[in-house]
């Protein structure tokens, strides 16, 4: 039987040249007698390898690889266990991360992977990692991406999480569509930009940013479309290139959440096909194109004194269905000391969007001491006028 070699200058590095040495090296790591495995010659597995139950690095100093041959080459088990992988694992094979973390670095590659019970895959900023098969995160499994995750198939996250951890200007991307359902949370760090093929959010899912500085760029629209419309799929204060809302889909702009007032968020193309666009406080939603065939636009004022929420449309759009509700601050709110004009919708001159929204607008929850009315002014703005009675 072959025995793995310990690097003479690095006592914690175990060199392996075949499958039996690899199995022995993992057992050595798990006993706490090594912290890194260097695959110096390529080989194929003849059976699944043991799980990593202690943190380690798995790499090749010579460019060698492991052919999984349908077996499991990597399994990470245990809370706090981190396996750092920059080794190419070829062929079909299954990787499971249970409670621990797999950190994927440049040159690393796996096939099918399951992240479960808090198990995570993390691709740090500046790194690129490849998954050639199916990647699933379920039951609190999570994916963290600061660099580039090269995926061959759609990434499925169910009752799990996706965290965007980009730092600086390093590329941050997932080269596939992300399908999220069953309460998955997608969070973006401030000033981060994620590029994806597409993103679909279903039942009870949320995608949110700390502020209005984070962006998702997608080849196809971000789709908020729960299977059950009562289980809302929500997007909060995230800039995006394209967003489509189906019944149960909600796009929530800045100013709706505490502390978000006064910020602007941009969605280049926003299509409401039965969902809800929520704007409140003093925040603005800016679009190049805005269309609504069904659903609801909801604007909520926090008081009668100051600036309200604003929908700004740079080029155009059309509202052919649905509703537009403007909610006042409530019956007990103080009236303005003098007449106040608040532009709620602003677009390019000659665009009919303000007229279309004016035709379906409903005013609700204004104090009896205020007369509220709407008018289209300067051919490009829908203005709310509040007059003390």
């Amino acid at each position: 039987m072959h025995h793995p070699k310990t690097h003479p200058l690095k006592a914690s590095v175990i060199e392996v040249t075949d499958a039996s040495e690899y199995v022995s090296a993992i057992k050595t790591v798990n006993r706490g007698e090594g912290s890194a495995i260097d695959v110096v010659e390529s080989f194929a597995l003849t059976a699944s390898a043991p799980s990593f139950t202690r943190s380690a690095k798995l790499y090749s100093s010579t460019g060698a690889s492991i052919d999984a041959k349908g077996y499991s080459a990597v399994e990470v088990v245990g809370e706090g266990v981190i396996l750092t992988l920059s080794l190419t694992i070829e062929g079909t094979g299954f990787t499971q991360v249970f409670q621990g973390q797999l950190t994927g670095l440049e040159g690393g590659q796996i096939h099918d992977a399951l992240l479960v019970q808090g198990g995570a895959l993390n691709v740090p900023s500046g790194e690129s990692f490849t998954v050639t098969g199916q990647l699933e995160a379920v039951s609190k499994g999570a994916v963290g991406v600061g660099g580039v995750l090269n995926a061959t198939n759609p990434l499925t996250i169910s009752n799990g999480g996706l965290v965007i951890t980009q730092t600086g200007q390093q590329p941050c991307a997932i080269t596939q569509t992300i399908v999220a359902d069953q309460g998955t949370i997608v969070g973006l760090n401030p000033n981060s930009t994620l590029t994806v093929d597409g993103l679909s959010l279903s039942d009870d899912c949320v995608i949110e940013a700390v502020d209005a500085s984070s962006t998702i760029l997608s080849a196809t629209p971000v789709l908020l479309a729960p299977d059950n419309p009562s289980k809302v799929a929500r997007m909060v204060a995230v800039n995006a290139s394209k967003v489509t809302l189906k019944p149960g889909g909600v796009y929530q702009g800045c100013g709706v959440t505490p502390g978000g007032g006064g910020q602007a968020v941009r969605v280049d193309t926003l299509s409401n096909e039965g969902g809800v666009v929520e704007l409140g406080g003093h925040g603005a939603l800016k679009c190049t194109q805005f269309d609504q065939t069904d659903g609801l636009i909801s604007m909520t004022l926090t008081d009668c004194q100051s600036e309200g929420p604003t929908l700004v449309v740079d080029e155009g759009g059309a509202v052919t269905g649905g509703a537009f509700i403007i909610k006042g601050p409530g019956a007990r709110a103080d009236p303005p000391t003098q007449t106040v004009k608040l532009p709620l919708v602003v677009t390019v001159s000659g665009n009919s969007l303000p007229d279309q929204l004016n035709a379906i607008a409903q005013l609700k929850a204004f104090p009896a001491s205020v007369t509220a009315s709407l008018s289209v002014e300067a051919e490009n703005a829908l203005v709310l006028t509040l007059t003390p009675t």
Side-chain angles (χ1 to χ4, degrees):
M1 176 180 177
H2 294 287
H3 295 282
K5 299 176 182 179
T6 300
H7 195 288
L9 299 179
K10 300 178 180 179
S12 62
V13 178
I14 307 165
E15 294 182 346
V16 301
T17 61
D18 61 26
S20 63
E21 290 184 359
Y22 179 56
V23 169
S24 180
I26 295 174
K27 293 178 179 178
T28 300
V29 166
N30 291 342
R31 291 194 302 268
E33 299 172 6
S35 62
I37 298 174
D38 182 3
V39 178
V40 295
E41 293 183 22
S42 298
F43 60 86
L45 293 181
T46 55
S48 291
S51 303
F52 283 87
T53 58
R54 284 181 179 259
S55 297
K57 295 180 180 179
L58 179 57
Y59 67 97
S60 175
S61 61
T62 63
S65 62
I66 295 176
D67 186 346
K69 293 291 185 182
Y71 296 107
S72 174
V74 171
E75 186 170 270
V76 183
V77 176
E79 189 172 346
V81 178
I82 300 174
L83 179 66
T84 302
L85 178 66
S86 57
L87 177 73
T88 297
I89 299 175
E90 298 178 333
T92 59
F94 182 72
T95 296
Q96 178 169 286
V97 184
F98 182 86
Q99 295 183 327
Q101 176 178 299
L102 178 65
T103 298
L105 303 184
E106 190 75 33
Q109 175 182 300
I110 56 177
H111 188 61
D112 291 338
L114 177 65
L115 314 171
V116 65
Q117 293 296 324
L121 168 64
N122 180 44
V123 183
S125 283
E127 302 291 343
S128 177
F129 187 75
T130 300
V131 179
T132 59
Q134 301 291 333
L135 176 58
E136 294 183 77
V138 301
S139 300
K140 307 301 181 182
V143 178
V145 178
V148 177
L149 175 57
N150 299 300
T152 303
N153 297 296
L155 164 60
T156 301
I157 306 177
S158 182
N159 188 27
L162 171 64
V163 181
I164 307 308
T165 59
Q166 180 191 32
T167 57
Q169 301 300 312
Q170 300 279 8
C172 181
I174 298 174
T175 63
Q176 255 296 341
T177 296
I178 305 161
V179 180
D181 65 10
Q182 295 186 28
T184 291
I185 297 175
V186 181
L188 291 90
N189 278 5
N191 300 303
S192 58
T193 299
L194 172 68
T195 302
V196 296
D197 276 6
L199 172 61
S200 173
L201 272 69
S202 188
D203 294 3
D204 295 324
C205 292
V206 178
I207 176 168
E208 59 187 348
V210 175
D211 54 25
S213 66
S214 303
T215 302
I216 291 183
L217 303 176
S218 56
T220 59
V222 175
L223 180 63
L224 278 64
D227 294 328
N228 182 347
S230 67
K231 296 183 176 182
V232 170
R234 187 180 300 271
M235 188 171 185
V236 183
V238 178
N239 300 289
S241 49
K242 305 168 187 148
V243 174
T244 297
L245 305 176
K246 297 291 187 178
V250 176
Y251 184 89
Q252 187 172 311
C254 297
V256 175
T257 54
Q263 294 178 315
V265 66
R266 170 172 283 278
V267 177
D268 288 337
T269 302
L270 178 56
S271 299
N272 189 6
E273 301 174 7
V276 178
V277 178
E278 290 184 355
L279 303 175
H282 314 308
L285 170 60
K286 297 184 177 182
C287 302
T288 302
Q289 179 82 18
F290 177 87
D291 295 288
Q292 177 171 289
T293 57
D294 196 4
L296 169 67
I297 304 169
S298 175
M299 288 188 173
T300 303
L301 278 67
T302 55
D303 57 62
C304 295
Q305 315 288 336
S306 54
E307 196 174 325
T310 310
L311 172 63
V312 180
V313 181
D314 296 338
E315 292 185 5
V319 174
T320 57
F324 179 30
I325 296 177
I326 302 158
K327 299 176 184 177
R332 298 183 179 181
D334 294 330
T337 56
Q338 59 186 4
T339 298
V340 174
K341 287 183 173 288
L342 304 176
L344 300 182
V345 181
V346 179
T347 186
V348 292
S349 180
N351 187 273
S352 59
L353 191 61
D355 292 293
Q356 293 168 353
L357 287 170
N358 190 28
I360 62 172
Q362 303 174 51
L363 298 173
K364 296 184 176 182
F366 284 91
S369 57
V370 173
T371 298
S373 62
L374 291 170
S375 60
V376 176
E377 300 188 6
E379 297 185 353
N380 73 328
L382 179 60
V383 176
L384 173 66
T385 301
L386 302 178
T387 305
T389 56

